[in-house]
Amino acid sequence: MKHNNNSSLDAKLRPQLQWNQINWVKVEKFVLRLERSIAKAVEHHDFATVAKLRRIFRTSNNVRLLSVRKVTQDNRGKRTAGVDGKVITSEKDRWQLASNVSIDGKSNPLLRVWIPKSNSKELRPLGIPTIEDRVKQMMLKLEIEPIYEVQAEPNVYGFRPARSVHDAIEACFIAIGCKKEGAWVLEGDFSKFFDNINKEHMLKMIESLGITDKETLQQVQAWIKSGVIDKEVFTKTDKGTPQGGVISPLLANIALHGMENMLHDWVDTWKGTKRSNHQGFSVIRYADDFVVIHKERAVVEEAKQRIEEWLDNGVGVKLNQTKTKITHTTKGFDFLGFNVRQYRVNNGSQLKFLTKPSKDKVIAHMESIRQVTKTMRAVSTETLIDKLNPIITGWSNYYSSAASKKSLNCCDNQMFIKLSVFLDAALE
């Protein structure tokens, strides 16, 4: 397939063309077609063609334009500045950035900010790159993501195209729902997942996917070693892929590539014997949360040991022992904001699989509503309703696939009480 690098523009970027006059449909189609061609070449193990297509990708005007648009217009952090204090809002600045940006093996330090963890008083760090570095990250992400996707393990759901939390919960349903006697579950969580990934391990895993060109490896290494500025104090970094970067989730997935396959290879020969019942063994991962499911507790317990040994072999990440535990599906467990459980029915003779909103998420949702009503006491009732409706609708839609009737009724009752107090105060 031939790829015309100038399918929507001339050979050179043309500032005289208005930014909003660019045919973005053609730009997106070009980039998507190139991504699909790279993926197809990887499927056929034709890495010579992959290298050729990547050269086209890296010199493409369309890729640079799309990356700039995604970072400066589409992303939620478009108005968040890095250490240079710059944000891109004008067409002129977007044209200039698209004309000059390239994968050059350089990186600016990250701006470190601290945000509260959900349902916790602890703070977690975010590393905010400059706009230019974010565009570079977007360019490289678009380029290497098709290579990873073709080779990715089947039950990795976090930060991947066309995959979501609900797909991971559905995988739990498939893995657990067919087990008549229930199953044992290892609830796993990685400690400081993004911050502690070993640099050498990450580069090794990138190369294992067939991404061996010097430019990519140098650029990733530059991001890892860019350092952070926290309260005007510079600190060197030599590991991790800080949260806040466009490419960080992809690099984290690449760093953990192989864990699922390792577990399946091990369980097929558990204690040296091929056993057909190990076909019920499942590993489901979403970012730094994962579950391992099997009907035998001994298999799940040893799986935990295998994961720890695999992580100790240079990955740099450890299991969070306070959050990693083994439970039975009849007791239930929380995963990605859902409570997943098998309930005994028909006098305990059968098990029924249900997912519900987790208790923590219900509490957090009601707290967000309480904060809105608290801070908007002086506004009209219509303004308050306009503010609350998107919050309530979004949360309800998110859990609409779960058995959430009781949770929604509970939230309705609490809402009625809070709004009654609000209206009483407004009438006084």
Side-chain angles (χ1 to χ4, degrees):
M1 179 185 296
K2 292 185 178 180
H3 295 271
N4 182 5
N5 187 31
N6 309 308
S7 58
S8 61
L9 298 169
D10 293 335
K12 296 181 179 180
L13 298 176
R14 298 191 300 168
Q16 65 268 26
L17 181 68
Q18 294 296 316
W19 185 264
N20 58 10
Q21 291 177 340
I22 296 173
N23 191 330
W24 290 110
V25 173
K26 286 188 176 180
V27 170
E28 290 176 347
K29 283 183 176 180
F30 170 83
V31 176
L32 180 60
R33 188 167 69 249
L34 195 51
E35 286 180 313
R36 287 175 175 172
S37 297
I38 291 174
K40 187 175 181 180
V42 174
E43 285 181 354
H44 290 87
H45 303 284
D46 186 359
F47 284 94
T49 300
V50 172
K52 179 181 177 181
L53 292 170
R54 289 184 64 200
R55 285 194 294 271
I56 297 173
F57 205 102
R58 192 158 293 184
T59 58
S60 170
N61 294 331
N62 291 322
V63 172
R64 294 201 298 274
L65 288 171
L66 183 61
S67 298
V68 170
R69 196 197 73 177
K70 283 180 175 291
V71 169
T72 64
Q73 292 181 273
D74 299 345
N75 288 2
R76 287 188 297 175
K78 59 190 175 184
R79 297 191 182 277
T80 304
V83 293
D84 59 358
K86 293 181 179 179
V87 293
I88 303 297
T89 56
S90 69
E91 289 191 5
K92 180 181 177 181
D93 289 340
R94 292 189 184 110
W95 276 114
Q96 185 175 1
L97 181 58
S99 300
N100 298 330
V101 71
S102 63
I103 305 298
D104 55 7
K106 299 178 182 179
S107 177
N108 295 299
L110 301 171
L111 176 65
R112 173 157 289 173
V113 296
W114 297 84
I115 63 173
K117 292 183 178 180
S118 58
N119 304 319
S120 174
K121 295 182 180 180
E122 296 182 13
L123 299 177
R124 64 184 177 95
L126 283 184
I128 309 299
T130 63
I131 294 291
E132 181 182 356
D133 278 323
R134 270 177 265 177
V135 174
K136 290 182 188 178
Q137 291 184 13
M138 180 61 71
M139 290 170 61
L140 195 60
K141 176 179 179 289
L142 292 172
E143 180 182 330
I144 68 176
E145 191 171 55
I147 302 174
Y148 167 73
E149 282 297 313
V150 172
Q151 303 172 75
E153 294 160 314
N155 287 301
V156 176
Y157 293 92
F159 309 114
R160 292 182 60 189
R163 293 197 171 208
S164 67
V165 167
H166 296 88
D167 294 321
I169 297 300
E170 183 179 359
C172 288
F173 173 78
I174 294 171
I176 296 172
C178 61
K179 292 177 172 57
K180 297 180 180 180
E181 300 300 324
W184 291 95
V185 179
L186 169 65
E187 304 173 56
D189 182 87
F190 298 110
S191 180
K192 296 182 179 179
F193 174 54
F194 286 91
D195 296 332
N196 290 325
I197 298 172
N198 182 275
K199 178 188 69 177
E200 285 73 21
H201 173 78
M202 184 183 294
L203 295 175
K204 177 182 175 182
M205 294 308 300
I206 291 173
E207 291 184 81
S208 73
L209 297 175
I211 305 169
T212 58
D213 62 289
K214 184 173 65 174
E215 292 82 4
T216 297
L217 299 177
Q218 285 181 343
Q219 186 64 71
V220 172
Q221 192 168 2
W223 286 326
I224 295 172
K225 299 176 67 176
S226 62
V228 296
I229 296 179
D230 187 1
K231 298 178 181 178
E232 300 185 354
V233 177
F234 176 79
T235 305
K236 292 182 179 180
T237 54
D238 59 358
K239 61 181 180 179
T241 170
Q243 295 185 64
V246 174
I247 203 172
S248 293
L250 174 59
L251 293 180
N253 276 339
I254 292 175
L256 291 180
H257 180 69
M259 188 183 82
E260 181 183 343
N261 289 335
M262 177 275 296
L263 288 172
H264 281 288
D265 291 342
W266 158 74
V267 83
D268 283 342
T269 56
W270 189 53
K271 293 185 178 179
T273 305
K274 290 273 186 180
R275 295 168 60 141
S276 60
N277 62 356
H278 290 163
Q279 294 176 358
F281 181 83
S282 299
V283 183
I284 301 163
R285 181 170 70 83
Y286 192 102
D288 59 342
D289 294 310
F290 68 92
V291 292
V292 178
I293 303 167
H294 194 268
K295 66 180 182 180
E296 296 181 30
R297 182 180 181 119
V299 175
V300 173
E301 288 176 341
E302 191 167 343
K304 179 185 175 184
Q305 297 177 13
R306 294 283 174 167
I307 293 171
E308 290 175 329
E309 292 172 2
W310 186 79
L311 294 174
D312 288 338
N313 191 24
V315 179
V317 179
K318 302 288 185 182
L319 289 181
N320 187 332
Q321 297 297 337
T322 60
K323 295 183 179 181
T324 300
K325 53 188 176 180
I326 297 175
T327 55
H328 197 267
T329 53
T330 54
K331 300 294 183 181
F333 62 95
D334 288 345
F335 185 51
L336 304 177
F338 289 81
N339 180 262
V340 181
R341 184 175 175 181
Q342 284 182 306
Y343 295 84
R344 295 197 179 276
V345 295
N346 295 335
N347 296 322
S349 60
Q350 293 179 318
L351 292 175
K352 184 177 182 179
F353 180 95
L354 289 178
T355 59
K356 299 180 179 181
S358 68
K359 184 178 179 180
D360 288 344
K361 293 299 182 182
V362 173
I363 294 173
H365 175 57
M366 294 311 302
E367 176 61 20
S368 67
I369 291 175
R370 188 187 74 83
Q371 289 295 335
V372 170
T373 55
K374 180 180 178 180
T375 57
M376 301 189 71
R377 288 177 178 174
V379 304
S380 65
T381 305
E382 292 80 4
T383 303
L384 176 64
I385 291 173
D386 289 341
K387 181 70 174 180
L388 288 176
N389 272 343
I391 299 173
I392 297 169
T393 303
W395 194 87
S396 302
N397 288 342
Y398 185 83
Y399 288 105
S400 61
S401 61
S404 52
K405 181 178 179 180
K406 289 185 178 180
S407 298
L408 293 176
N409 284 339
C410 176
C411 291
D412 280 343
N413 293 335
Q414 293 295 320
M415 272 290 301
F416 180 79
I417 294 172
K418 292 181 186 299
L419 290 180
S420 297
V421 173
F422 176 85
L423 290 174
D424 290 341
L427 293 174
E428 290 180 357

